[in-house]
Amino acid sequence: MMIDGAILRTKYPRLVPDPFVFECKPGWLGLLDDFFACVDRVLPATVGFELIQVKEKMGGLRIYHGTDGPIPDAVSNEIREANLRAEARSEHICEDCGKRGRMSNRGGYYTVVCEEHADADGRLAIPIEPEGSSRIGGTSGGWRRYDFDKDAFVPCDPPEGW
């Protein structure tokens, strides 16, 4: 079952077009709501927002979007951080129900599931070790990873071999 976009379309009519297909499961609805709330708050009313695609990829949430005009750097940075936060949080939230989950491998397919949703149609999702979020590199800010318990990006070492 995929997300029913009607809820988000009703809350954020200038951000979510009708029709629009969300290619991810309902457990990530809260993550998308947080992302759209940020965009709605910071994006100037004179600038159009284009939602291109929202999907699950490699077990995590991906939100592809654009604007129809220039926006201040501070606004662009805030939207980028909201996007990164949604993607990082998705690595810890069950796609199916929205409870805390683990990045897992189900027959070569990466998915984030809680214990309740680890078994789907007799195929068990095996948690991937070590647990944690992807690292995000920056040209000036160094490397960061998302700490779910702090709900914040924290400094970290670059990936091995970088």
Side-chain angles (χ1 to χ4, degrees):
M1 173 196 291
M2 296 294 155
I3 286 179
D4 177 2
I7 295 167
L8 295 171
R9 201 171 11 265
T10 300
K11 280 182 87 170
Y12 309 105
R14 76 178 184 132
L15 304 178
V16 181
D18 186 15
F20 188 83
V21 176
F22 288 88
E23 302 171 57
C24 56
K25 295 179 182 176
W28 289 344
L29 181 63
L31 301 175
L32 290 167
D33 189 37
D34 290 348
F35 169 75
F36 289 123
C38 175
V39 175
D40 198 42
R41 180 176 39 74
V42 302
L43 189 68
T46 57
V47 178
F49 182 82
E50 180 185 13
L51 188 59
I52 299 166
Q53 186 177 33
V54 176
K55 67 179 185 175
E56 175 277 327
K57 182 175 183 179
M58 297 298 292
L61 177 64
R62 300 295 182 267
I63 306 168
Y64 302 103
H65 58 85
T67 59
D68 70 358
I71 55 177
D73 286 345
V75 171
S76 179
N77 290 338
E78 196 159 348
I79 292 172
R80 183 179 316 106
E81 284 295 308
N83 193 336
L84 289 172
R85 197 169 39 255
E87 291 181 0
R89 285 175 177 162
S90 75
E91 294 183 14
H92 302 271
I93 300 290
C94 178
E95 299 176 66
D96 292 296
C97 68
K99 294 179 187 172
R100 180 114 187 221
R102 297 269 316 265
M103 181 68 75
S104 302
N105 182 326
R106 182 181 286 132
Y109 175 77
Y110 291 107
T111 182
V112 180
V113 292
C114 63
E115 285 185 27
E116 180 182 339
H117 292 105
D119 189 341
D121 300 323
R123 297 180 334 188
L124 186 63
I126 308 298
I128 295 172
E129 298 295 336
E131 183 178 11
S133 287
S134 303
R135 294 180 178 126
I136 300 168
T139 53
S140 61
W143 287 86
R144 308 180 294 160
R145 69 170 178 79
Y146 180 73
D147 184 314
F148 185 83
D149 295 320
K150 293 179 181 178
D151 191 26
F153 289 100
V154 296
C156 70
D157 293 328
E160 190 173 320
W162 185 261

